[in-house]
PDB file of all heavy atoms in Angstrom:
ATOM      1  N   ALA A 263       6.863 -39.099  17.112  1.00 77.00           N
ATOM      2  CA  ALA A 263       8.305 -39.302  17.231  1.00 77.00           C
ATOM      3  C   ALA A 263       8.802 -38.475  18.407  1.00 77.00           C
ATOM      4  O   ALA A 263       8.719 -37.253  18.383  1.00 77.00           O
ATOM      5  CB  ALA A 263       9.012 -38.870  15.943  1.00 77.00           C
ATOM      6  N   ASN A 264       9.287 -39.162  19.444  1.00 73.00           N
ATOM      7  CA  ASN A 264       9.673 -38.501  20.688  1.00 73.00           C
ATOM      8  C   ASN A 264      11.188 -38.592  20.873  1.00 73.00           C
ATOM      9  O   ASN A 264      11.750 -39.679  20.925  1.00 73.00           O
ATOM     10  CB  ASN A 264       8.949 -39.183  21.863  1.00 73.00           C
ATOM     11  CG  ASN A 264       9.188 -38.482  23.179  1.00 73.00           C
ATOM     12  OD1 ASN A 264      10.071 -37.635  23.308  1.00 73.00           O
ATOM     13  ND2 ASN A 264       8.384 -38.830  24.166  1.00 73.00           N
ATOM     14  N   ARG A 265      11.855 -37.461  20.985  1.00 71.00           N
ATOM     15  CA  ARG A 265      13.299 -37.467  21.178  1.00 71.00           C
ATOM     16  C   ARG A 265      13.695 -38.197  22.454  1.00 71.00           C
ATOM     17  O   ARG A 265      14.756 -38.814  22.536  1.00 71.00           O
ATOM     18  CB  ARG A 265      13.839 -36.031  21.242  1.00 71.00           C
ATOM     19  CG  ARG A 265      15.341 -35.947  21.501  1.00 71.00           C
ATOM     20  CD  ARG A 265      15.834 -34.527  21.469  1.00 71.00           C
ATOM     21  NE  ARG A 265      15.342 -33.719  22.561  1.00 71.00           N
ATOM     22  CZ  ARG A 265      15.913 -33.675  23.774  1.00 71.00           C
ATOM     23  NH1 ARG A 265      16.972 -34.426  24.036  1.00 71.00           N
ATOM     24  NH2 ARG A 265      15.429 -32.903  24.709  1.00 71.00           N
ATOM     25  N   TYR A 266      12.835 -38.159  23.466  1.00 67.00           N
ATOM     26  CA  TYR A 266      13.181 -38.783  24.744  1.00 67.00           C
ATOM     27  C   TYR A 266      13.191 -40.308  24.653  1.00 67.00           C
ATOM     28  O   TYR A 266      13.740 -40.987  25.509  1.00 67.00           O
ATOM     29  CB  TYR A 266      12.209 -38.322  25.827  1.00 67.00           C
ATOM     30  CG  TYR A 266      12.254 -36.833  26.043  1.00 67.00           C
ATOM     31  CD1 TYR A 266      11.164 -36.032  25.716  1.00 67.00           C
ATOM     32  CD2 TYR A 266      13.397 -36.212  26.550  1.00 67.00           C
ATOM     33  CE1 TYR A 266      11.206 -34.651  25.907  1.00 67.00           C
ATOM     34  CE2 TYR A 266      13.444 -34.839  26.734  1.00 67.00           C
ATOM     35  CZ  TYR A 266      12.347 -34.067  26.407  1.00 67.00           C
ATOM     36  OH  TYR A 266      12.398 -32.713  26.587  1.00 67.00           O
ATOM     37  N   ASP A 267      12.577 -40.860  23.583  1.00 67.00           N
ATOM     38  CA  ASP A 267      12.563 -42.311  23.419  1.00 67.00           C
ATOM     39  C   ASP A 267      13.792 -42.832  22.690  1.00 67.00           C
ATOM     40  O   ASP A 267      14.386 -43.830  23.098  1.00 67.00           O
ATOM     41  CB  ASP A 267      11.302 -42.744  22.655  1.00 67.00           C
ATOM     42  CG  ASP A 267      10.045 -42.551  23.497  1.00 67.00           C
ATOM     43  OD1 ASP A 267      10.174 -42.490  24.735  1.00 67.00           O
ATOM     44  OD2 ASP A 267       8.960 -42.444  22.906  1.00 67.00           O
ATOM     45  N   ASP A 268      14.177 -42.178  21.597  1.00 67.00           N
ATOM     46  CA  ASP A 268      15.289 -42.712  20.811  1.00 67.00           C
ATOM     47  C   ASP A 268      16.365 -41.688  20.482  1.00 67.00           C
ATOM     48  O   ASP A 268      17.273 -41.963  19.705  1.00 67.00           O
ATOM     49  CB  ASP A 268      14.768 -43.331  19.511  1.00 67.00           C
ATOM     50  CG  ASP A 268      14.021 -42.322  18.637  1.00 67.00           C
ATOM     51  OD1 ASP A 268      14.055 -41.112  18.951  1.00 67.00           O
ATOM     52  OD2 ASP A 268      13.422 -42.747  17.635  1.00 67.00           O
ATOM     53  N   GLY A 269      16.284 -40.494  21.068  1.00 71.00           N
ATOM     54  CA  GLY A 269      17.306 -39.492  20.825  1.00 71.00           C
ATOM     55  C   GLY A 269      17.140 -38.710  19.544  1.00 71.00           C
ATOM     56  O   GLY A 269      17.943 -37.822  19.249  1.00 71.00           O
ATOM     57  N   CYS A 270      16.085 -39.000  18.769  1.00 77.00           N
ATOM     58  CA  CYS A 270      15.841 -38.293  17.512  1.00 77.00           C
ATOM     59  C   CYS A 270      14.406 -37.775  17.494  1.00 77.00           C
ATOM     60  O   CYS A 270      13.548 -38.278  18.220  1.00 77.00           O
ATOM     61  CB  CYS A 270      16.070 -39.212  16.315  1.00 77.00           C
ATOM     62  SG  CYS A 270      17.762 -39.845  16.171  1.00 77.00           S
ATOM     63  N   ALA A 271      14.156 -36.789  16.645  1.00 82.00           N
ATOM     64  CA  ALA A 271      12.819 -36.210  16.593  1.00 82.00           C
ATOM     65  C   ALA A 271      12.609 -35.465  15.291  1.00 82.00           C
ATOM     66  O   ALA A 271      13.557 -34.950  14.688  1.00 82.00           O
ATOM     67  CB  ALA A 271      12.608 -35.257  17.764  1.00 82.00           C
ATOM     68  N   ASP A 272      11.345 -35.413  14.850  1.00 87.00           N
ATOM     69  CA  ASP A 272      10.971 -34.490  13.795  1.00 87.00           C
ATOM     70  C   ASP A 272      10.877 -33.107  14.422  1.00 87.00           C
ATOM     71  O   ASP A 272      10.111 -32.905  15.377  1.00 87.00           O
ATOM     72  CB  ASP A 272       9.617 -34.871  13.190  1.00 87.00           C
ATOM     73  CG  ASP A 272       9.695 -36.128  12.340  1.00 87.00           C
ATOM     74  OD1 ASP A 272      10.808 -36.479  11.908  1.00 87.00           O
ATOM     75  OD2 ASP A 272       8.650 -36.753  12.120  1.00 87.00           O
ATOM     76  N   VAL A 273      11.643 -32.170  13.901  1.00 86.00           N
ATOM     77  CA  VAL A 273      11.660 -30.840  14.504  1.00 86.00           C
ATOM     78  C   VAL A 273      10.886 -29.817  13.684  1.00 86.00           C
ATOM     79  O   VAL A 273      10.815 -28.647  14.056  1.00 86.00           O
ATOM     80  CB  VAL A 273      13.112 -30.356  14.716  1.00 86.00           C
ATOM     81  CG1 VAL A 273      13.826 -31.271  15.687  1.00 86.00           C
ATOM     82  CG2 VAL A 273      13.861 -30.292  13.399  1.00 86.00           C
ATOM     83  N   GLY A 274      10.306 -30.231  12.583  1.00 89.00           N
ATOM     84  CA  GLY A 274       9.483 -29.328  11.803  1.00 89.00           C
ATOM     85  C   GLY A 274       8.879 -30.030  10.606  1.00 89.00           C
ATOM     86  O   GLY A 274       9.458 -30.983  10.060  1.00 89.00           O
ATOM     87  N   TYR A 275       7.676 -29.608  10.222  1.00 94.00           N
ATOM     88  CA  TYR A 275       6.988 -30.165   9.057  1.00 94.00           C
ATOM     89  C   TYR A 275       6.579 -29.032   8.131  1.00 94.00           C
ATOM     90  O   TYR A 275       6.344 -27.897   8.557  1.00 94.00           O
ATOM     91  CB  TYR A 275       5.723 -30.924   9.476  1.00 94.00           C
ATOM     92  CG  TYR A 275       5.951 -32.121  10.359  1.00 94.00           C
ATOM     93  CD1 TYR A 275       5.745 -32.039  11.736  1.00 94.00           C
ATOM     94  CD2 TYR A 275       6.377 -33.338   9.828  1.00 94.00           C
ATOM     95  CE1 TYR A 275       5.940 -33.146  12.558  1.00 94.00           C
ATOM     96  CE2 TYR A 275       6.582 -34.442  10.643  1.00 94.00           C
ATOM     97  CZ  TYR A 275       6.364 -34.339  12.006  1.00 94.00           C
ATOM     98  OH  TYR A 275       6.568 -35.431  12.820  1.00 94.00           O
ATOM     99  N   GLY A 276       6.466 -29.332   6.860  1.00 94.00           N
ATOM    100  CA  GLY A 276       5.964 -28.378   5.893  1.00 94.00           C
ATOM    101  C   GLY A 276       5.458 -29.091   4.664  1.00 94.00           C
ATOM    102  O   GLY A 276       5.776 -30.257   4.430  1.00 94.00           O
TER     103      GLY A 276
END
Side-chain angles (χ1 to χ4, degrees):
N264 185 347
R265 178 176 68 85
Y266 299 113
D267 290 338
D268 60 9
C270 298
D272 288 340
V273 297
Y275 298 101

